[in-house]
Amino acid sequence: QVRLVESGGGQVQPGESLRLSCAASENIFSTHDIGWYRQTPGKQREFVARFTRGGSGIYADAVRGRFAISRHNFMSTFYLQMNRLQSEDTAVYFCHAAYDADWGSERGYWGQGTQVTVSS
């Protein structure tokens, strides 16, 4: 059972940056896609970014050009760099890892969530 542990959430002002980290309990980068979702109260979990096994980055329209996903292979850790944050980015962010066929589903692995608040 793979465990994912997030860190790096917090409160920032609009226009500022924040980096989220997700540490995996084992090296899964060769077998799983990795990425991030976010959720606000009363809404479904929303896709943010994905890094495929093949090394392609995929982004939601709302964050493309502002957010960047990356990974550190030797540390089994991946990141979400969030720049030019907006109030609309306020949410609980979840890291996720899954086989391609299980992407976005409960058959994949999920972190516990970390709160990001963008407010002046």
Side-chain angles (χ1 to χ4, degrees):
Q1 181 78 4
V2 176
R3 289 193 307 116
L4 302 177
V5 179
E6 296 125 340
S7 60
Q11 182 167 345
V12 296
Q13 295 188 347
E16 293 186 339
S17 300
L18 206 59
R19 188 176 81 158
L20 305 181
S21 301
C22 182
S25 58
E26 55 189 81
N27 196 323
I28 56 174
F29 295 157
S30 63
T31 55
H32 292 65
D33 289 6
I34 56 173
W36 297 87
Y37 280 72
R38 65 187 182 187
Q39 189 171 24
T40 54
K43 293 188 177 181
Q44 288 191 331
R45 202 171 287 180
E46 172 191 35
F47 168 75
V48 175
R50 178 177 178 178
F51 199 107
T52 69
R53 290 180 302 141
S56 298
I58 304 169
Y59 298 92
D61 289 343
V63 307
R64 188 176 296 112
R66 299 188 298 121
F67 290 13
I69 187 171
S70 62
R71 67 188 189 192
H72 191 302
N73 291 339
F74 295 115
M75 294 180 63
S76 300
T77 301
F78 57 100
Y79 308 94
L80 184 68
Q81 177 67 43
M82 304 184 293
N83 299 323
R84 304 198 304 278
L85 282 161
Q86 306 167 356
S87 58
E88 296 78 19
D89 297 317
T90 295
V92 177
Y93 284 70
F94 297 88
C95 60
H96 176 54
Y99 294 119
D100 182 39
D102 296 333
W103 183 257
S105 78
E106 294 305 315
R107 293 188 298 275
Y109 302 104
W110 294 90
Q112 80 283 3
T114 186
Q115 177 70 46
V116 172
T117 302
V118 184
S119 173
S120 56

